[in-house]
Amino acid sequence: MTDALLQVDDLRVTFAVGGREVRAVDGISFTVSPGATLAIIGESGSGKTVSCRAIMGLLPTGTAIGGSARLRGTELLGLSDAELRRYRGSDLAMVFQDPARSLNPTMRVGLQITEAITTHRATRGGRQSKREAQQQAIELLRLVRIPAAERRFHEYPHQLSGGMRQRVMIAMALACRPKLLIADEATTALDVTTQAQIMELLLELQEELGMALIMISHDLGLAASYADEVIVMYAGKIVEQAPAAGLFGAGGAVRMRYTRALLDAIPHLERPAHTLLPVVTGRPPDPTALPPGCSFAPRCQYAEDDCRAKVPALAEHVPGHRWACWHPCENGAAPHD
Amino acid sequence: MALVQQIQLQQGEPGARGRARRVTGSPALRMVGRRLLAVIPVLIGVSFLTFAIMSTLPNNTAQAILGLSASPAAVAQLNHSLGLDRPFWVQYWSWLINVLHGNFGTAVQGQSVNHELAIYVPTTLALLVYALVVSLALAIIVATLAARRPNGIADRINLTVSMLGLSTAPYAFAFLLIIIFAVKLGWFPVLSGPVTGPASFFRNLTLPAASIGFGLFAIYSRLLRADLVEQMQREDYIVTAKAKGVAPWRVLIRHALRNSLFNLITVIALNLGGLVGAVAIIETVFQVQGIGNDLITGISNHDLPLIQGITLVFALVTVAGNLLADILYAVLDPRIRYGSSTS
Amino acid sequence: MAAPLPDVTLLGALPPLPSLVNARRLRAQRLGRALRLWVPAGILILMLAMCFVLPLVASLPSPTKGDIIVNNEPPFSPGHWLGTDMQGVDIFSKLVYGGQVAFEIGAAVTAIGIAIGGTLGIIAGYFGGSVDAVISRVLDILIAFPALVLALVIAQGLGGSEIHVIWALSVFGIPAVGRVTRGATLTIRGLPFMVAAKLSGTRGWRIIARHVVPNIIPTIVTFSLLGVGIVIILEGALDFLGYGIPPPTASWGNMISNGQQILSAQPEYVLIPSIALLVTVASLNMLGDALRERWSTQ
Ligand SMILES: Nc1ncnc2c1ncn2[C@@H]1O[C@H](COP(=O)(O)OP(=O)(O)O)[C@@H](O)[C@H]1O
Ligand SMILES: [Mg+2]
């Protein structure tokens, strides 16, 4: 797999908080090929954001990070901040969850975009004048379909709507034409119509610019409709990993009980009206005190004694399809049958 | 004395950030107008309070002027001619009318309070501005260096120095400065002479300004450092800037510092009221010829017109400082400048 | 796009991964937290014991009357380990009895501040509306007013004595505690359990006693510690300006004020009480910081 754009191996992230150890990410591995779309799914707190920030080098100093993350063969973990900055914003870019808080409130949006352009100008075709950078920024605003881009360039974040702000964030991320864009719940904070628009925009731009996309979400439905490959995370671990078609398509089958529970929580059109939506009951475990066996066992209605005693390994049971479960669903059958 | 407000802000009083939110939603000009109107009741309240307290306390002004051997009749006579035997609201009213006409009255020793203020106010203002500007500039530099690496060496030194500054009585620190810089090294005079030009300004006001400024520096640098570190760790727009590949010190200065300054401005303004106490003591220690020193003399003479005049000036400084902070806020923070309702 | 096939084919239990965090670092973190709390607490306990217990168990020389023959003894003289002052009074005794005054006044002013200012702050924060407007305006004026000036005027009018100093400094303590309490009350007023308590029809005063007071106690305690420090500094200022404790009585402010007269010859007369003041106030501040750190991470 030498043609992989990003290869992550056994990534682990641990925080030390108040004398206790928080294992936020506990040994995850995955690969992203150029131009592909990978979806990472999981409840809030499962370690999705931390994984991506670890790759980008955006975690607080003092965080313990282990494993490896290679961008086209270059190891990113362990690089100094100065070395990592060459990739950050140029080859790797990120769009965040909350556009209202992710833009500096006291800086004009145009300036925030030109900052992204000029930061990497030394490595990208020499110096540019301020005017050129401004021209590029306005073009970026047009690229993300912001009307009246010249005027918006001079406005402050609070003068824009939520969807507009997220478009600005995307423009900023695209400033240096990254090879890989990480969208960390980029649509979660937006209303439903805007969500769809932003999602469409991201996929169009991905096509247009030929970049790879890691799409983080807690919404399995989004992943099902947009991703090539899906990873399901729970309590810092990958619990199931398969091509989207292998999970949701006609011949697909969900195996891991947690994925099944997430899938059942999505409203279906064919479900009779007014039936109660099944939800995943309970809360994710405390990352400072993980249970000894499978982390999902305390919430799993199919858990047996071995689940509570031993951690199931993530193994490739079917070609291309990996899961970590002692008692998986039989060929994706709904559990209630 | 100036520390209270700092603590209140640390304690989560919805001060700094809350204030920004409160004024959000009204265009800047209207906001300034409203603030100006709110100033008047505070000034009236402060002067009324001084009058009320002075009049409930045993009044021995006439006795103080005439000496202990004066006959009760002579004291009563003088009290009458000074108007001190009238009910206090009558006295207050006539004082207020006079002040509105620009006349602060006559002090016990016979000199005009207007004249007294004209001589002493500039020195005190110079001292205040000197202390404020230098401590603020140092605090911004030091806090930024400290926030670059929390728990690093610069940060630890800063935390220790500012804890000292926070815990040192300004008058005790003044004596330490006198022992070292005036007695041992002889760089500055022990007692400050009149300020006549730039050279005498530095010679006479540097030690007093340092005595006041140490505490201010401690407050400002602690607050700024805490705010910067919190922003660098918590705020999403900082992560955005880092994700763009912007260098850490650039993130700190362009993105975090700018936003932290808003909070600092509020603290400075809130602090001005408490600062007055420190100014009065330090002016007494160094015998600076300013209104703080004059006020202490006035209090010992039970000199109501003088106390009233100076208190009003101090209250004005406080209120003007707060107003200035609000205006600066409006000028610097686009959310207020553009009068938007979204945050 | 196919995922790379890892070598994991055996279906076994996963061994626990080794910890990435250095155990030494975790221990150092815990130790640092404990030290930040117990070092200032220990110093304060020592200071309190020195001021209040020592005079009971040991016979100290008088803090007011001295023997003029042994005046101006330097520190570490026999019988006077911190030396004597111009009148031959033992400096250590003065420090001990002056410390009593400082702690008493600090505690009393803070207690008055909590009783009056705290009540006003809770009422303003809890009931809001016009009640809040009136109380806040009064507190605003008191805070805009140069507190030390007011304290001086009152102390001068009442005449010097410990109880008068306490009243004078309360002018400063009451609005400060009032504002802090109001802020804390406002913060918890919107929390879900408060809304729940109100919806369940509990009476206002019961909610205040059961829910508001217990929740603002941490804020008040940390603020009080810092407040005691500020009051001690202010008390020294009153003494220093001649409106505090009348002179023959020992107090740290009086010691500094007296020492000022022979500053160049005997700087230690000013330095010794100043250091005592600094150590006390710094310990109070650091203890407050440490408690806030504990309570805010809970
Ligand atoms: N800076 C940090 N310090 C300590 N714990 C953290 C930190 N950041 C995240 N965590 C913890 O790591 C876990 C994973 O968080 P995160 O990756 O943000 O979840 P999500 O899947 O919702 O993005 C959570 O339990 C969170 O509490
Ligand atoms: Mg997240």
Side-chain angles (χ1 to χ4, degrees):
Chain A
M1 284 286 153
T2 43
D3 62 334
L5 176 64
L6 177 73
Q7 178 151 13
V8 175
D9 275 308
D10 193 28
L11 178 70
R12 288 185 286 140
V13 182
T14 307
F15 300 99
V17 180
R20 293 198 303 170
E21 190 184 354
V22 179
R23 291 192 177 193
V25 179
D26 212 359
I28 67 168
S29 311
F30 60 85
T31 307
V32 184
S33 306
T37 304
L38 169 72
I40 303 182
I41 308 298
E43 275 171 298
S44 124
S46 52
K48 308 179 299 286
T49 299
V50 171
S51 318
C52 293
R53 293 200 178 179
I55 295 166
M56 296 275 290
L58 290 176
L59 290 173
T61 43
T63 310
I65 303 175
S68 129
R70 269 165 297 170
L71 182 74
R72 278 198 283 193
T74 315
E75 179 61 60
L76 296 177
L77 303 186
L79 282 189
S80 74
D81 191 69
E83 290 165 324
L84 201 53
R85 275 207 308 278
R86 296 224 320 271
Y87 302 101
R88 218 153 57 196
S90 58
D91 291 324
L92 287 171
M94 200 159 172
V95 179
F96 300 93
Q97 173 168 356
D98 187 355
R101 303 194 55 217
S102 301
L103 287 166
N104 188 338
T106 57
M107 212 168 162
R108 294 174 198 274
V109 294
L111 212 60
Q112 298 189 50
I113 299 176
T114 46
E115 190 180 34
I117 298 169
T118 51
T119 301
H120 294 283
R121 66 188 165 192
T123 47
R124 305 242 154 186
R127 304 186 68 83
Q128 289 146 312
S129 72
K130 212 175 146 188
R131 181 173 297 271
E132 275 167 357
Q134 175 165 347
Q135 208 47 52
Q136 275 185 29
I138 291 174
E139 270 158 32
L140 280 166
L141 286 175
R142 290 208 188 97
L143 182 70
V144 295
R145 331 268 194 265
I146 289 185
E150 284 89 350
R151 187 161 58 81
R152 293 297 185 190
F153 182 91
H154 295 287
E155 290 190 337
Y156 285 95
H158 72 269
Q159 294 169 293
L160 306 178
S161 68
M164 283 293 173
R165 285 183 206 148
Q166 198 60 300
R167 282 168 198 266
V168 170
M169 286 296 295
I170 294 172
M172 216 175 337
L174 298 183
C176 296
R177 305 291 140 115
K179 308 283 180 305
L180 172 64
L181 178 67
I182 302 176
D184 185 357
E185 311 224 13
T187 59
T188 306
L190 306 172
D191 63 72
V192 183
T193 355
T194 324
Q195 262 183 18
Q197 286 169 2
I198 295 288
M199 224 35 246
E200 293 297 339
L201 175 71
L202 274 175
L203 292 169
E204 276 173 45
L205 290 171
Q206 183 192 10
E207 197 110 311
E208 228 173 297
L209 307 175
M211 59 185 178
L213 179 66
I214 296 183
M215 191 175 93
I216 296 179
S217 175
H218 57 246
D219 182 351
L220 207 53
L222 265 183
S225 18
Y226 297 108
D228 301 324
E229 165 113 13
V230 177
I231 284 176
V232 181
M233 282 186 75
Y234 187 78
K237 289 193 177 68
I238 295 182
V239 293
E240 183 156 18
Q241 177 176 16
L247 284 179
F248 313 111
V254 164
R255 294 312 191 92
M256 168 68 195
R257 298 287 179 185
Y258 175 61
T259 319
R260 183 77 248 168
L262 279 182
L263 202 57
D264 288 336
I266 303 173
H268 286 290
L269 280 181
E270 59 265 33
R271 212 186 284 277
H274 305 301
T275 50
L276 282 178
L277 280 181
V279 287
V280 194
T281 50
R283 312 179 83 243
D286 176 2
T288 57
L290 290 176
C294 171
S295 335
F296 186 57
R299 296 166 72 188
C300 180
Q301 56 186 120
Y302 303 96
E304 290 172 26
D305 288 344
D306 50 348
C307 299
R308 285 180 271 269
K310 289 177 292 175
V311 184
L314 179 72
E316 185 156 16
H317 302 273
V318 173
H321 193 159
R322 301 195 282 168
W323 65 80
C325 187
W326 292 124
H327 306 285
C329 310
E330 289 307 321
N331 252 347
H336 305 291
D337 304 346
Chain B
M1 35 223 76
L3 318 177
V4 191
Q5 286 88 0
Q6 179 235 354
I7 295 154
Q8 286 172 348
L9 289 170
Q10 285 187 349
Q11 295 278 350
E13 146 125 355
R17 285 172 199 263
R19 168 190 296 239
R21 246 168 254 137
R22 239 180 300 139
V23 284
T24 316
S26 66
L29 265 183
R30 194 140 43 90
M31 192 266 301
V32 171
R34 258 191 325 182
R35 299 285 307 172
L36 268 174
L37 282 182
V39 161
I40 297 167
V42 172
L43 288 182
I44 293 181
V46 165
S47 61
F48 185 80
L49 198 63
T50 325
F51 239 95
I53 288 173
M54 293 296 283
S55 67
T56 53
L57 295 173
N59 181 347
N60 47 13
T61 310
Q63 195 86 55
I65 296 174
L66 296 173
L68 284 177
S69 55
S71 69
V75 170
Q77 168 68 34
L78 184 61
N79 261 338
H80 183 73
S81 65
L82 290 175
L84 295 176
D85 53 351
R86 294 174 297 165
F88 95 90
W89 57 87
V90 178
Q91 293 184 44
Y92 179 67
W93 184 249
S94 70
W95 177 84
L96 194 63
I97 296 296
N98 278 333
V99 166
L100 289 180
H101 288 97
N103 177 10
F104 284 89
T106 310
V108 167
Q109 250 98 43
Q111 71 285 42
S112 129
V113 175
N114 288 33
H115 181 66
E116 200 101 326
L117 291 179
I119 300 174
Y120 293 139
V121 166
T123 308
T124 301
L125 278 186
L127 177 61
L128 260 178
V129 171
Y130 189 13
L132 266 174
V133 168
V134 174
S135 54
L136 184 60
L138 281 178
I140 290 178
I141 295 170
V142 171
T144 312
L145 287 178
R148 261 202 82 171
R149 282 192 50 220
N151 293 323
I153 179 95
D155 192 27
R156 279 168 199 274
I157 293 176
N158 172 43
L159 282 179
T160 313
V161 171
S162 59
M163 179 51 83
L164 282 177
L166 214 56
S167 314
T168 308
Y171 45 93
F173 185 62
F175 288 125
L176 187 70
L177 291 181
I178 291 177
I179 293 173
I180 297 173
F181 293 102
V183 177
K184 294 267 189 284
L185 296 174
W187 293 354
F188 298 100
V190 172
L191 297 183
S192 303
V195 175
T196 50
S200 83
F201 169 83
F202 285 111
R203 207 178 132 64
N204 291 311
L205 294 187
T206 296
L207 288 189
S211 312
I212 299 169
F214 189 32
L216 293 182
F217 165 80
I219 296 173
Y220 299 161
S221 69
R222 260 171 74 101
L223 252 145
L224 192 56
R225 181 257 177 212
D227 206 53
L228 284 174
V229 169
E230 191 187 306
Q231 276 197 66
M232 293 297 282
Q233 285 171 354
R234 298 251 165 90
E235 291 292 354
D236 289 345
Y237 53 79
I238 297 294
V239 182
T240 307
K242 284 185 189 161
K244 281 190 272 191
V246 180
W249 62 267
R250 245 185 117 85
V251 177
L252 188 64
I253 290 169
R254 276 190 76 164
H255 293 271
L257 185 59
R258 198 189 151 111
N259 284 293
S260 290
L261 286 182
F262 295 134
N263 297 340
L264 195 63
I265 288 170
T266 319
V267 177
I268 295 171
L270 274 177
N271 257 331
L272 283 175
L275 197 53
V276 166
V279 169
I281 299 176
I282 294 304
E283 285 193 357
T284 313
V285 171
F286 289 95
Q287 289 300 308
V288 175
Q289 281 148 41
I291 47 175
N293 191 0
D294 207 26
L295 177 69
I296 303 291
T297 319
I299 290 174
S300 69
N301 292 339
H302 209 274
D303 191 340
L304 186 56
L306 191 64
I307 296 174
Q308 279 287 16
I310 294 177
T311 312
L312 197 66
V313 170
F314 277 143
L316 252 175
V317 169
T318 310
V319 168
N322 274 292
L323 191 65
L324 194 68
D326 281 345
I327 294 173
L328 271 180
Y329 235 110
V331 170
L332 291 178
D333 192 334
R335 284 162 295 188
I336 300 172
R337 189 166 7 135
Y338 287 85
S340 135
S341 54
T342 46
S343 59
Chain C
M1 179 204 71
L5 300 186
D7 308 326
V8 189
T9 40
L10 76 162
L11 255 180
L14 223 55
L17 290 164
S19 169
L20 281 175
V21 179
N22 197 330
R24 272 231 312 280
R25 226 183 98 207
L26 288 179
R27 268 206 306 279
Q29 259 186 12
R30 269 181 245 135
L31 184 70
R33 255 167 76 101
L35 284 183
R36 281 199 291 280
L37 180 70
W38 288 108
V39 168
I43 294 177
L44 276 178
I45 291 170
L46 275 179
M47 296 286 292
L48 283 170
M50 182 190 94
C51 293
F52 291 97
V53 182
L54 191 66
L56 301 179
V57 296
S59 67
L60 295 177
S62 158
T64 49
K65 288 194 217 43
D67 188 349
I68 201 75
I69 299 167
V70 290
N71 75 340
N72 285 346
E73 293 270 322
F76 307 111
S77 314
H80 306 283
W81 77 273
L82 284 180
T84 57
D85 70 2
M86 295 157 278
Q87 280 81 41
V89 185
D90 181 70
I91 290 184
F92 182 68
S93 283
K94 287 178 82 164
L95 206 60
V96 167
Y97 287 94
Q100 285 189 1
V101 172
F103 280 116
E104 280 165 16
I105 292 180
V109 170
T110 310
I112 293 175
I114 291 173
I116 301 179
T119 310
L120 286 176
I122 290 179
I123 292 175
Y126 183 80
F127 293 104
S130 53
V131 180
D132 180 28
V134 170
I135 295 179
S136 294
R137 220 41 62 223
V138 172
L139 294 181
D140 269 359
I141 290 178
L142 281 176
I143 286 195
F145 199 93
L148 189 83
V149 175
L150 203 52
L152 282 176
V153 168
I154 293 176
Q156 194 252 359
L158 296 177
S161 85
E162 193 170 324
I163 192 80
H164 290 165
V165 170
I166 290 173
W167 285 123
L169 290 182
S170 295
V171 172
F172 145 90
I174 292 170
V177 181
R179 263 212 185 176
V180 169
T181 320
R182 175 180 171 272
T185 310
L186 274 183
T187 313
I188 65 159
R189 192 171 72 162
L191 295 185
F193 68 84
M194 288 285 291
V195 179
K198 273 188 197 173
L199 286 179
S200 73
T202 317
R203 296 284 300 270
W205 293 110
R206 281 181 79 91
I207 297 183
I208 289 181
R210 285 248 189 94
H211 298 285
V212 179
V213 173
N215 280 292
I216 59 174
I217 278 180
T219 310
I220 294 189
V221 169
T222 47
F223 179 72
S224 302
L225 286 170
L226 313 199
V228 170
I230 298 170
V231 169
I232 291 178
I233 290 184
L234 283 174
E235 189 271 322
L238 285 190
D239 294 347
F240 172 75
L241 293 172
Y243 296 114
I245 310 296
T249 312
S251 83
W252 291 349
N254 284 339
M255 290 170 79
I256 294 176
S257 169
N258 290 339
Q260 179 199 5
Q261 291 151 16
I262 48 167
L263 191 61
S264 34
Q266 310 294 163
E268 70 266 19
Y269 288 177
V270 165
L271 287 181
I272 289 172
S274 298
I275 289 170
L277 198 65
L278 173 66
V279 170
T280 309
V281 179
S283 303
L284 284 163
N285 283 343
M286 291 193 299
L287 186 61
D289 279 359
L291 285 179
R292 194 169 38 228
E293 177 194 37
R294 297 235 152 175
W295 287 332
S296 69
T297 51
Q298 266 178 16

